[in-house]
Amino acid sequence: MKVSFVGSGNVATQLAKACSAKGITVVDIYSKSINNANLLAELVNAKAVSNLNDLTTDIDLLIIAVSDNALLEIANKFEHFTASIVHTSGSTNIDVLKSDNYDYGVIYPLQTISKSKEIDFKDVPFFIEASNPDLKLALSIFCEMLGSKNVQYADSALRMKLHIAAVFACNFSNHMYAIAEELMRKNALDFELLKPLIAETAQKIQSMSPKSAQTGPASRNDTLTLEKHLQALHSEKALFDLYKAISEDIAKIQNS
Amino acid sequence: MKVSFVGSGNVATQLAKACSAKGITVVDIYSKSINNANLLAELVNAKAVSNLNDLTTDIDLLIIAVSDNALLEIANKFEHFTASIVHTSGSTNIDVLKSDNYDYGVIYPLQTISKSKEIDFKDVPFFIEASNPDLKLALSIFCEMLGSKNVQYADSALRMKLHIAAVFACNFSNHMYAIAEELMRKNALDFELLKPLIAETAQKIQSMSPKSAQTGPASRNDTLTLEKHLQALHSEKALFDLYKAISEDIAKIQNS
């Protein structure tokens, strides 16, 4: 099986590495930046390409893993392809790839993926969609080859709902860590001190619902403490507003 | 050593159980509700009390672990005590316990603590404060006896800063999980699907800074996706506002 990647970012990097590790030939890595293409291509023994017209067409699957904005810009530039083409975007409709010349689909890994952090795809649910049943079967087998124990079908509307929930569960919780890190730094406190707390918070919801796992001043309705915290954040409007809005939402959910 | 607890909530429960497990005698458990006092007292072989005047005074340490609002109401009701008295609140000043009759202090465990989830205090940093050096030493040894490998001194001002950072790192990230769970439920999707994502998000920051671990549409400046998500949340004003505010703050931090 021969695959190529359009993109050299977080998702392209980890998928290409997983392909390579599983014995799937990675033919080309495309990036607008030939340097970025080279960096990933070297890792997976592929050819680096910075012009879409230089992509090898004699492959089985082209995986487009770029930002959603970039995907819209380049989605219609593969009319000379006959190989199947998929994107990896949570919130972009499958039809962005619509064509009479090739089959098209989506493989969406429900995971936070960074270049520098190895991913074990065993624990990653993949949601697939395809323009025809044969490609759907092929994508399902492909995701299992990458190691996933959980490959499911989701249409574009459902995939976006999954993506929105994932943004809250992952990107937004990570941003709460980022704010905490910045608050610690400003007070010359070591972020290390919060790591057991963050680990336990995530660990708890593996066996409890987040609602019943909640602790802290907002869930206890400790109004005096909420006021003290808001007063302490008074000079940082964005943090003040976030603290207030999230605390009010916690109180609402805990009392519902 | 003989300790008693005022409170029978999450923190009182886990501290009392840890005391009992380490061979420290738990004398009384006070709660306004005798039923709640009984539930915890039975677990740690103590006497249940629902009137503060019934507390045994011949003990070594009284630990007040109640909500911050409740702490303020009862803090001055122990003038007949000579035993040392501490509270466990992150954001209440040590002076709330000020007295000429007894030594007083604070033991603040930097962890999310629920009744129903066993805590290994080995991984819990404790921040202590005391009205005199002898009590400070005693509290330090006490927290180590409970298992903590990380006992530090923090005055009331610093403790509140730690608490605010902890609210973001823990309570607010947990609330993002709660919102995600609710979004999944509304779409008949299983929250189980998000558990590997939540685990990986928390795992990443053990070795990366939250800022560099960030992924998702806001950090990629995927404006089209952000718009789609906001449109999908349009009918739920609180979620819409949170999504917008947090995404804007992510974009600001990622570009700083």
Side-chain angles (χ1 to χ4, degrees):
Chain A
M1 181 178 181
K2 294 186 284 187
V3 305
S4 289
F5 285 86
V6 171
S8 62
N10 295 329
V11 173
T13 296
Q14 295 299 343
L15 285 179
K17 284 168 75 175
C19 284
S20 182
K22 300 292 181 181
I24 297 167
T25 303
V26 182
V27 178
D28 297 328
I29 302 289
Y30 164 87
S31 169
K32 271 195 298 195
S33 146
I34 191 69
N35 285 339
N36 288 343
N38 265 320
L39 283 172
L40 177 53
E42 274 176 27
L43 285 181
V44 296
N45 208 18
K47 193 177 77 175
V49 170
S50 65
N51 185 326
L52 289 176
N53 293 321
D54 293 340
L55 281 169
T56 307
T57 53
D58 175 27
I59 59 170
D60 300 298
L61 182 65
L62 181 70
I63 301 175
I64 307 178
V66 297
S67 74
D68 300 355
N69 286 5
L71 174 57
L72 279 199
E73 283 171 25
I74 61 168
N76 62 355
K77 306 218 165 143
F78 303 95
E79 289 299 321
H80 56 300
F81 268 70
T82 54
S84 298
I85 304 184
V86 297
H87 72 65
T88 61
S89 165
S91 295
T92 308
N93 197 290
I94 183 176
D95 288 340
V96 73
L97 292 172
K98 195 160 193 154
S99 168
D100 295 328
N101 298 332
Y102 50 79
D103 296 334
Y104 52 95
V106 181
I107 57 171
Y108 171 57
L110 188 65
Q111 187 53 283
T112 170
I113 299 179
S114 295
K115 279 186 197 178
S116 59
K117 172 79 165 58
E118 214 65 34
I119 285 283
D120 186 346
F121 282 103
K122 175 169 63 61
D123 302 321
V124 179
F126 274 83
F127 293 88
I128 60 172
E129 188 176 8
S131 59
N132 73 51
D134 287 345
L135 179 59
K136 184 173 157 187
L137 175 63
L139 294 178
S140 174
I141 296 171
F142 175 69
C143 293
E144 284 173 11
M145 271 186 75
L146 296 183
S148 177
K149 301 285 182 213
N150 190 353
V151 183
Q152 300 193 24
Y153 176 78
D155 66 18
S156 292
L158 187 64
R159 189 171 62 251
M160 185 168 83
K161 287 171 180 169
L162 282 162
H163 191 199
I164 294 174
V167 165
F168 278 94
C170 165
N171 309 141
F172 287 1
S173 62
N174 184 74
H175 189 57
M176 300 301 123
Y177 309 158
I179 290 173
E181 181 177 43
E182 181 61 12
L183 288 171
M184 295 293 273
R185 197 192 56 73
K186 277 184 190 157
N187 294 299
L189 291 162
D190 191 347
F191 181 61
E192 286 294 319
L193 289 168
L194 294 178
K195 290 186 175 178
L197 177 63
I198 288 170
E200 175 72 7
T201 305
Q203 179 59 34
K204 275 171 96 172
I205 63 87
Q206 299 290 329
S207 56
M208 303 171 76
S209 83
K211 184 181 167 182
S212 62
Q214 189 59 285
T215 60
S219 71
R220 282 192 302 268
N221 199 28
D222 262 336
T223 49
L224 295 166
T225 297
L226 295 170
E227 279 165 32
K228 279 182 218 166
H229 288 186
L230 285 171
Q231 203 172 337
L233 296 170
H234 197 256
S235 62
E236 306 180 74
K237 181 164 172 20
L239 285 193
F240 179 97
D241 290 345
L242 276 182
Y243 188 101
K244 193 161 182 291
I246 298 172
S247 292
E248 286 170 359
D249 210 50
I250 290 174
K252 198 173 69 189
I253 282 199
Q254 290 298 315
N255 298 321
S256 72
Chain B
M1 182 177 178
K2 293 187 286 188
V3 306
S4 289
F5 285 85
V6 171
S8 61
N10 295 330
V11 173
T13 297
Q14 295 300 343
L15 285 178
K17 284 169 75 175
C19 284
S20 181
K22 298 294 182 180
I24 297 168
T25 303
V26 181
V27 178
D28 297 328
I29 302 289
Y30 164 86
S31 169
K32 271 195 296 193
S33 145
I34 192 69
N35 285 341
N36 288 344
N38 265 322
L39 282 173
L40 177 53
E42 273 176 27
L43 285 180
V44 296
N45 208 19
K47 193 178 79 177
V49 170
S50 65
N51 184 327
L52 288 175
N53 293 321
D54 293 340
L55 281 169
T56 307
T57 53
D58 175 26
I59 58 169
D60 300 301
L61 182 64
L62 182 69
I63 300 175
I64 307 178
V66 297
S67 74
D68 300 356
N69 285 6
L71 174 57
L72 278 198
E73 283 171 25
I74 61 169
N76 62 354
K77 305 218 164 144
F78 303 96
E79 288 300 320
H80 55 300
F81 267 70
T82 53
S84 298
I85 303 183
V86 298
H87 72 65
T88 60
S89 164
S91 294
T92 308
N93 197 291
I94 184 176
D95 287 340
V96 72
L97 293 172
K98 194 161 195 155
S99 167
D100 295 328
N101 299 332
Y102 51 79
D103 295 334
Y104 52 95
V106 181
I107 57 170
Y108 171 57
L110 187 66
Q111 188 53 282
T112 170
I113 298 178
S114 295
K115 279 186 197 178
S116 59
K117 171 80 165 59
E118 215 65 35
I119 285 283
D120 185 346
F121 283 104
K122 174 169 63 61
D123 301 321
V124 179
F126 274 82
F127 293 88
I128 60 172
E129 188 175 8
S131 59
N132 72 52
D134 287 345
L135 181 58
K136 184 174 157 185
L137 175 63
L139 294 178
S140 174
I141 296 170
F142 175 68
C143 294
E144 284 173 11
M145 272 184 75
L146 296 183
S148 177
K149 301 284 183 213
N150 190 353
V151 184
Q152 301 194 22
Y153 176 78
D155 66 19
S156 292
L158 188 64
R159 190 171 60 252
M160 186 168 83
K161 287 170 180 170
L162 281 162
H163 191 199
I164 295 174
V167 165
F168 278 94
C170 166
N171 309 142
F172 287 1
S173 63
N174 184 73
H175 188 57
M176 299 301 121
Y177 308 159
I179 291 172
E181 182 178 41
E182 181 61 13
L183 288 170
M184 296 291 274
R185 197 192 56 73
K186 276 183 191 157
N187 294 299
L189 291 162
D190 191 348
F191 181 60
E192 286 293 321
L193 288 168
L194 293 178
K195 289 186 175 178
L197 177 63
I198 288 171
E200 175 72 7
T201 305
Q203 179 58 34
K204 275 170 97 173
I205 63 88
Q206 299 290 330
S207 57
M208 304 171 76
S209 85
K211 183 180 166 180
S212 63
Q214 189 60 284
T215 59
S219 72
R220 281 194 303 268
N221 199 28
D222 262 336
T223 49
L224 294 167
T225 297
L226 294 170
E227 278 166 33
K228 280 182 217 166
H229 288 186
L230 284 172
Q231 203 172 336
L233 297 170
H234 197 257
S235 62
E236 308 181 72
K237 181 165 170 19
L239 286 193
F240 178 96
D241 289 346
L242 277 182
Y243 188 101
K244 193 160 182 290
I246 298 172
S247 291
E248 285 170 0
D249 210 50
I250 289 174
K252 198 173 68 188
I253 282 199
Q254 289 300 314
N255 300 321
S256 72

